Amino acid sequence: MISVSIVDDENELRKSITTFVNGSPGFRCISAYNSAATALKGLPADKPDVVLMDINLGGMTGIECVERLKIEVPTMQILMLTVYEDTDQIFKALAAGASGYMLKRSSPTKLLLAIREVHGGGSPMSSSIARKVVASFQKSQKTGEKQTHLSPREEAVLDCLAKGLTYKQIADQLGISIDTIRTYIRRVYEKLHVQSRTEAVAKYLQA
């Protein structure tokens, strides 16, 4: 059973998604919040497997909420569910720690697949969003822009990966838990737009 929490200030949509999730075999909605402030108070205790997060919440944005949640609970898996399709919002959300980015107009079936993919360690995106990410990546390659904005800790983790260290060895060397290492690696993959250790290391060595 995959537990899901929802953060969205649209009452009808929030109720609709809650009903749909609860009516789907293998899924259960354990909480729903109408603001980032209430979500920050409740989600750490709820401990859902996946959080569905809107961006335009009023007051604190969903992206800011993601960033604060990932600091407090690094292993929390968050899937952005929004109407925004602009590249800037996409990359801000992923950089903040979101695990995937789906549009609200996505079909219920695709949403369930995305929730399951995030729970399984993947980073799903709507097809139109994926195309924007690819287009942005290709454009930055042509213009010679810097591809990544890794934090010092993310660079340290990637450097350890390049040296062939295991997750446990990296955790021991950096003095943090294996779960935290997995979170950093997921962020590195998202920022480098890669899907594997080999791709990440190759791009790192080419930088």
Side-chain angles (χ1 to χ4, degrees), residues 165-184:
L165 300 184
T166 64
Y167 285 10
K168 185 179 185 307
Q169 289 172 326
I170 298 173
D172 291 342
Q173 182 166 314
L174 299 181
I176 52 183
S177 70
I178 291 180
D179 282 340
T180 302
I181 290 297
R182 291 194 179 100
T183 298
Y184 279 124

Side-chain angles (χ1 to χ4, degrees), residues 63-137:
I63 292 175
E64 292 172 307
C65 186
V66 170
E67 193 166 21
R68 292 177 62 171
L69 280 171
K70 295 296 284 189
I71 291 173
E72 187 169 349
V73 190
T75 57
M76 186 166 286
Q77 302 305 310
I78 304 171
L79 175 64
M80 305 308 292
L81 185 62
T82 179
V83 297
Y84 291 106
E85 295 186 62
D86 59 286
T87 306
D88 186 50
Q89 294 283 13
I90 297 168
F91 283 117
K92 281 182 179 178
L94 296 177
S99 300
Y101 198 108
M102 298 293 291
L103 296 175
K104 286 184 177 180
R105 67 168 182 262
S106 301
S107 69
T109 299
K110 288 184 178 179
L111 178 57
L112 287 183
L113 288 173
I115 293 172
R116 191 178 295 281
E117 188 174 344
V118 166
H119 183 244
S123 298
M125 292 186 192
S126 299
S127 57
S128 60
I129 295 298
R131 283 195 294 270
K132 286 180 178 291
V133 171
V134 171
S136 177
F137 177 64

Side-chain angles (χ1 to χ4, degrees), residues 1 19-28 112:
M1 184 71 68
T19 300
F20 170 68
V21 169
N22 283 331
S24 303
F27 297 85
R28 181 168 63 96
L112 287 183

Side-chain angles (χ1 to χ4, degrees), residues 33 38-48 68-69 72-73 76:
Y33 299 95
T38 55
L40 285 170
K41 292 179 180 178
L43 287 175
D46 297 337
K47 296 180 180 178
R68 292 177 62 171
L69 280 171
E72 187 169 349
V73 190
M76 186 166 286

Side-chain angles (χ1 to χ4, degrees), residues 144-177:
E145 293 177 9
K146 183 175 175 58
Q147 292 297 317
T148 63
H149 300 282
L150 301 181
S151 70
R153 182 49 64 92
E154 289 166 349
E155 288 187 349
V157 170
L158 187 50
D159 184 62
C160 289
L161 283 178
K163 292 175 181 176
L165 300 184
T166 64
Y167 285 10
K168 185 179 185 307
Q169 289 172 326
I170 298 173
D172 291 342
Q173 182 166 314
L174 299 181
I176 52 183
S177 70

